[in-house]
Amino acid sequence: MKRPVPLGVVLVLVAFAVTSWAERDKTDQQLRLELSLSDGSRLVGVAPATSLRIVGPVGKISLPLAQVRSVKFNEDRETVSVRLVNGDRLSGVLDMRAIEMKALFGTVEVPVAECRSMVVLKGSDNGLVLYYTFDDDSD
């Protein structure tokens, strides 16, 4: 004979499911930045800013970070080429002296002069976590 599940247990399970869904949705909307620096290192963190300011031929543009796929810093470290998620490309001067982000070890401000490229990552796509080649024939 089946015993009915107490209403309190059902409410707790529903509340847990709704909370988990809301937290997942919040995480999926966070924008993370992956910066490639001039010394060859790479830095990943969460972007507190919501836009990227560029001065282009048509004037000042404030691009929502959610619409930016990548930014390539040119050799002069002043001009950038921006690739958007819809395939459009823009060029101009980045109207920022530093890029701020929250990394694993705290808030960091990276001077634009030290950046080679920036990729905007959306959601919880953490990329490669573990890689096994299984090429070795040993036990």
Side-chain angles (χ1 to χ4, degrees):
M1 179 171 137
K2 290 185 179 180
R3 293 190 329 213
V5 178
L7 182 60
V9 172
V10 171
L11 291 176
V12 168
L13 291 174
V14 168
F16 178 73
V18 168
T19 304
S20 297
W21 173 78
E23 286 301 313
R24 187 191 79 232
D25 190 47
K26 188 172 144 184
T27 301
D28 288 346
Q29 293 178 4
Q30 279 187 328
L31 296 175
R32 293 180 299 122
L33 302 179
E34 179 181 306
L35 290 177
S36 295
L37 305 178
S38 58
D39 66 354
S41 59
R42 187 176 63 117
L43 191 59
V44 178
V46 176
T50 57
S51 63
L52 190 65
R53 297 180 315 271
I54 295 178
V55 179
V58 295
K60 289 186 179 182
I61 302 170
S62 183
L63 294 170
L65 269 179
Q67 299 303 315
V68 175
R69 179 166 286 155
S70 64
V71 178
K72 181 181 179 288
F73 294 82
N74 297 328
E75 291 297 321
D76 61 8
R77 299 291 189 245
E78 286 185 21
T79 57
V80 293
S81 299
V82 181
R83 198 171 104 209
L84 302 176
V85 294
N86 68 353
D88 287 350
R89 294 180 188 267
L90 296 172
S91 294
V93 176
L94 193 61
D95 191 20
M96 302 167 73
R97 295 201 183 280
I99 297 172
E100 182 182 339
M101 60 187 197
K102 294 178 185 175
L104 181 64
F105 46 85
T107 302
V108 196
E109 282 192 18
V110 179
V112 172
E114 296 299 321
C115 298
R116 281 190 193 166
S117 67
M118 177 175 75
V119 176
V120 179
L121 306 168
K122 295 178 181 85
S124 58
D125 177 23
N126 292 324
L128 183 65
V129 175
L130 190 59
Y131 175 72
Y132 289 109
T133 61
F134 293 109
D135 290 341
D136 191 11
D137 289 336
S138 66
D139 292 338

